[in-house]
Amino acid sequence: MTSDPIWQPLVEELARRQRAGRKAEFWLRDDDAVDPTLALDRLLDLTGDFAVSVTLAVIPALTNEKLVVRLDQAPHATVAVHGWAHRNHAPEGEKKQELGAHRPREVVLDDLGRGLSRVTSLHAARAVPMLVPPWNRIDAGVVSDLGSTGFTALSVFGPPKPAALAVINSNVDIMDWHGTRCCRDHGLLVQAIVAQLQRAFDGGEPVGLLTHHLVHDESAWLFLERLFEITTRTEACAWLPIKTLIGRGAAKAVPGKG
Ligand SMILES: [Zn+2]
């Protein structure tokens, strides 16, 4: 329970949902997993305690069986493909990109095909053919050719652009990358979540929460715990597994779109 005024706008929005008989939908994407760590344990324990499904964007070139063994104990975790090596190929002074137009498209697609097959062979049924581009950036030409590599879904950040595959974007990032590099102000995060819920009510996307367990400060963990406490104790909320969203997104995909 919370009577914290910071969280009140979310509590009220969820009460409105309940009255309207509509569910507030969330999903959780956590980036940069490679190895089992204490921070990963903390994420898996916290999400497990609240039965929240989590999609881990795993860096294929850097990971191995150790992560497989750990995730065998976490049935609520799904694994997506986080580029190939999370390596920047943009020149200095430009925004970092692994999947930009800095290399021939075939080379980039080759990396991505290798990434998908590595993650799938390691994680089998826990893997989903969803690409999460490092730094949430990818060349539009690469997107239009992604289907040929076996991917059926893409997840970046912000409002989705139409594409030939399912696009399931994150839209609320809890970290303040450009300022403190700590968790963003909880009140501002609550506002961002409520705003996204209102867009979702009008036909927009579910709340896609983006986290990075390796860099969370205590404030980030506290935010997640409060959010899960509030959202998992009401019938008005659902934390969706990524497979549900990929299925829905496939129906919205636009053939021939880049
Ligand atoms: Zn990343």
Side-chain angles (χ1 to χ4, degrees):
M1 296 295 285
T2 180
S3 53
D4 189 336
I6 285 174
W7 290 88
Q8 204 52 36
L10 178 60
V11 172
E12 285 168 14
E13 180 64 25
L14 296 180
R16 274 196 290 277
R17 291 311 172 101
Q18 193 122 39
R19 287 194 295 274
R22 296 262 304 267
K23 273 205 198 298
E25 296 182 330
F26 291 76
W27 73 284
L28 175 60
R29 192 185 105 198
D30 182 275
D31 287 5
D32 299 343
V34 169
D35 285 316
T37 58
L38 290 176
L40 184 66
D41 285 344
R42 194 166 177 182
L43 177 76
L44 294 172
D45 289 348
L46 182 62
T47 47
D49 284 349
F50 287 99
V52 167
S53 299
V54 55
T55 301
L56 300 173
V58 171
I59 305 170
L62 309 182
T63 193
N64 59 37
E65 288 78 7
K66 283 185 279 179
L67 186 65
V68 176
V69 170
R70 176 62 185 90
L71 295 184
D72 283 344
Q73 309 305 316
H76 60 297
T78 302
V79 168
V81 181
H82 200 27
W84 167 242
H86 217 300
R87 189 173 298 142
N88 179 33
H89 295 281
E92 221 181 302
E94 268 185 38
K95 287 184 172 172
K96 290 180 177 168
Q97 286 202 66
E98 183 174 44
L99 310 178
H102 311 93
R103 297 182 294 161
R105 195 182 297 176
E106 313 78 70
V107 175
V108 176
L109 290 166
D110 205 45
D111 272 359
L112 291 177
R114 199 176 318 123
L116 177 59
S117 89
R118 177 153 176 78
V119 164
T120 307
S121 65
L122 281 169
H123 289 280
R126 186 162 51 232
V128 287
M130 180 167 90
L131 173 64
V132 177
W135 301 286
N136 288 304
R137 297 186 191 111
I138 182 167
D139 177 60
V142 175
V143 174
S144 61
D145 285 346
L146 267 184
S148 67
T149 56
F151 286 99
T152 62
L154 170 71
S155 180
V156 289
F157 185 85
K161 293 183 190 147
L165 70 179
V167 181
I168 301 133
N169 285 358
S170 57
N171 42 48
V172 177
D173 185 341
I174 72 166
M175 300 304 288
D176 175 16
W177 296 103
H178 304 294
T180 60
R181 298 188 71 81
C182 296
C183 187
R184 289 168 65 198
D185 176 82
H186 291 193
L188 293 177
L189 282 172
V190 170
Q191 282 175 27
I193 288 171
V194 169
Q196 187 61 37
L197 285 174
Q198 287 166 352
R199 283 191 283 276
F201 194 84
D202 298 326
E205 309 301 308
V207 176
L209 199 74
L210 176 56
T211 63
H212 284 76
H213 64 279
L214 290 169
V215 298
H216 286 178
D217 56 347
E218 282 307 313
S219 174
W221 293 116
L222 183 64
F223 178 80
L224 290 178
E225 191 174 347
R226 290 258 167 87
L227 179 65
F228 295 157
E229 276 168 7
I230 291 169
T231 52
T232 59
R233 68 161 190 245
T234 164
E235 288 290 302
C237 250
W239 284 87
L240 300 176
I242 192 63
K243 286 178 185 172
T244 303
L245 290 164
I246 291 175
R248 261 192 219 168
K252 280 199 236 164
V254 185
K257 265 282 182 187

